[in-house]
Amino acid sequence: WKGHEQLFAARDRCGDAPDRIRSVRTHDFKYIRNFHPEVPYMQHSGYKKLQYPVETLMKVMHEQGRWNSPFMATTRPKEELYDLKADPHEMKNLAADPAYEKQLVEMRDAVNKWIV
């Protein structure tokens, strides 16, 4: 992190689960663009099924009403924005909050430039 104002990341698959995500992080914010919002956060992956037993537990607990997390949604937003100081666990997506529109646009533009 030292010496960088922004860090960029990409994901195109997780094991056998295809995906496309691009993101940028600053010291205070993280922006994520989901190119496949129709795919859930917890999409099926044979690798994860075998290597992350807690995933099955989370899904069972969610079905029983004992685990409630935004990451159990059946779809994802196209964009995510998190205030890392106020919300270090990234639980409240601020992308639709008008108070954060300037930050959203700046970070969206940074990802667009990085992609190019």
Side-chain angles (χ1 to χ4, degrees):
W1 182 264
K2 202 172 191 178
H4 299 279
E5 290 184 28
Q6 299 176 321
L7 293 177
F8 295 89
R11 179 171 114 174
D12 290 307
R13 66 173 31 310
C14 186
D16 59 343
D19 204 350
R20 186 171 186 221
I21 298 170
R22 301 295 182 262
S23 66
V24 62
R25 182 181 191 246
T26 64
H27 188 265
D28 297 330
F29 289 92
K30 182 190 279 183
Y31 168 82
I32 302 167
R33 180 176 308 149
N34 295 302
F35 285 84
H36 295 287
E38 73 281 1
V39 176
Y41 290 106
M42 302 288 289
Q43 67 173 306
H44 176 75
S45 167
Y47 167 78
K48 288 192 295 184
K49 187 76 168 165
L50 293 173
Q51 299 299 320
Y52 305 139
V54 74
E55 178 184 350
T56 300
L57 178 62
M58 288 168 38
K59 288 178 178 179
V60 168
M61 289 177 69
H62 179 72
E63 288 174 14
Q64 294 173 342
R66 297 172 41 211
W67 172 261
N68 188 19
S69 167
F71 301 104
M72 301 307 294
T74 58
T75 61
R76 299 177 284 187
K78 289 182 181 181
E79 295 181 299
E80 300 175 62
L81 179 68
Y82 298 100
D83 179 339
L84 300 174
K85 283 188 174 182
D87 180 21
H89 300 294
E90 302 172 23
M91 299 300 285
K92 184 174 182 185
N93 182 4
L94 302 170
D97 187 331
Y100 290 89
E101 184 175 358
K102 181 180 181 228
Q103 190 67 44
L104 176 70
V105 169
E106 286 176 12
M107 296 188 85
R108 179 190 296 141
D109 289 347
V111 166
N112 287 340
K113 289 176 186 170
W114 180 68
I115 290 170
V116 171

